[in-house]
Amino acid sequence: MAVFVYNRTQNHVDRLKRLRAKGYENLTASEKAEYADSARLGAYNSTDLNRVESAVDELALAFGLTLVTRSWGAWASPTVADMERYLGNVVTLRDTALATDPTLEFPTLPSSMSHLTYEGANNIEKTLEIVSTVASILNAFVLDESTLDNTVLG
């Protein structure tokens, strides 16, 4: 399962904006290294999309769901429909986990991917982490139950 990223902050976003304003060719070597880190946390790109899509694919399988996912190239331009599907998959998984335990607490998901904030990006991945934990617990329970079914009593 993916290692989810939900430690983005406004500082990451602000620093990336400042570095972009300077122009990559004008950055020092240390600023270029910082740019790479800031871009990882201060922007939402194909790496994030692919991490979430991969996790959605694995979690859908764990819950016996059929959800449409895809892989994103570095220069992909998602459409509104792509992002509605993307976020809808996360909502479906969250709702499926809630059906197993209505007391679960999830962060608030963004209402759309338009004007995504760092908080919204964090909440998408934190939601998937909670769903992943539920799937792991259910899988352990199913494995434990199947062991019991095969125990011969004397």
Side-chain angles (χ1 to χ4, degrees):
M1 185 57 61
V3 174
F4 297 106
V5 176
Y6 48 86
N7 63 334
R8 299 170 184 91
T9 67
Q10 187 62 50
N11 288 338
H12 294 117
V13 175
D14 293 343
R15 184 62 179 153
L16 180 58
K17 285 179 181 178
R18 285 193 298 276
L19 292 171
R20 280 187 175 170
K22 283 181 86 171
Y24 190 78
E25 66 282 351
N26 299 319
L27 300 178
T28 66
S30 65
E31 285 175 325
K32 286 179 181 178
E34 188 179 351
Y35 182 92
D37 188 53
S38 294
R40 184 178 66 83
L41 295 171
Y44 207 74
N45 56 43
S46 62
T47 302
D48 302 294
L49 293 171
N50 286 324
R51 182 179 48 257
V52 168
E53 293 273 26
S54 178
V56 164
D57 201 40
E58 288 181 44
L59 291 168
L61 182 63
F63 283 105
L65 301 172
T66 302
L67 297 176
V68 175
T69 59
R70 65 167 283 187
S71 295
W72 298 93
W75 302 107
S77 294
T79 65
V80 171
D82 288 328
M83 293 294 86
E84 286 174 352
R85 176 201 50 78
Y86 179 88
L87 190 55
N89 284 345
V90 177
V91 169
T92 297
L93 288 167
R94 180 205 58 201
D95 292 349
T96 301
L98 277 169
T100 68
D101 182 356
T103 65
L104 289 170
E105 293 184 19
F106 287 94
T108 302
L109 289 170
S111 58
S112 80
M113 296 296 285
S114 178
H115 308 293
L116 183 67
T117 65
Y118 73 89
E119 293 110 331
N122 286 343
N123 289 351
I124 289 168
E125 298 207 38
K126 185 63 178 172
T127 294
L128 290 174
E129 184 179 69
I130 295 167
V131 172
S132 178
T133 299
V134 171
S136 294
I137 291 168
L138 291 174
N139 186 46
F141 178 75
V142 168
L143 290 175
D144 190 47
E145 286 292 311
S146 68
T147 302
L148 289 174
D149 288 345
N150 294 319
T151 303
V152 177
L153 300 175

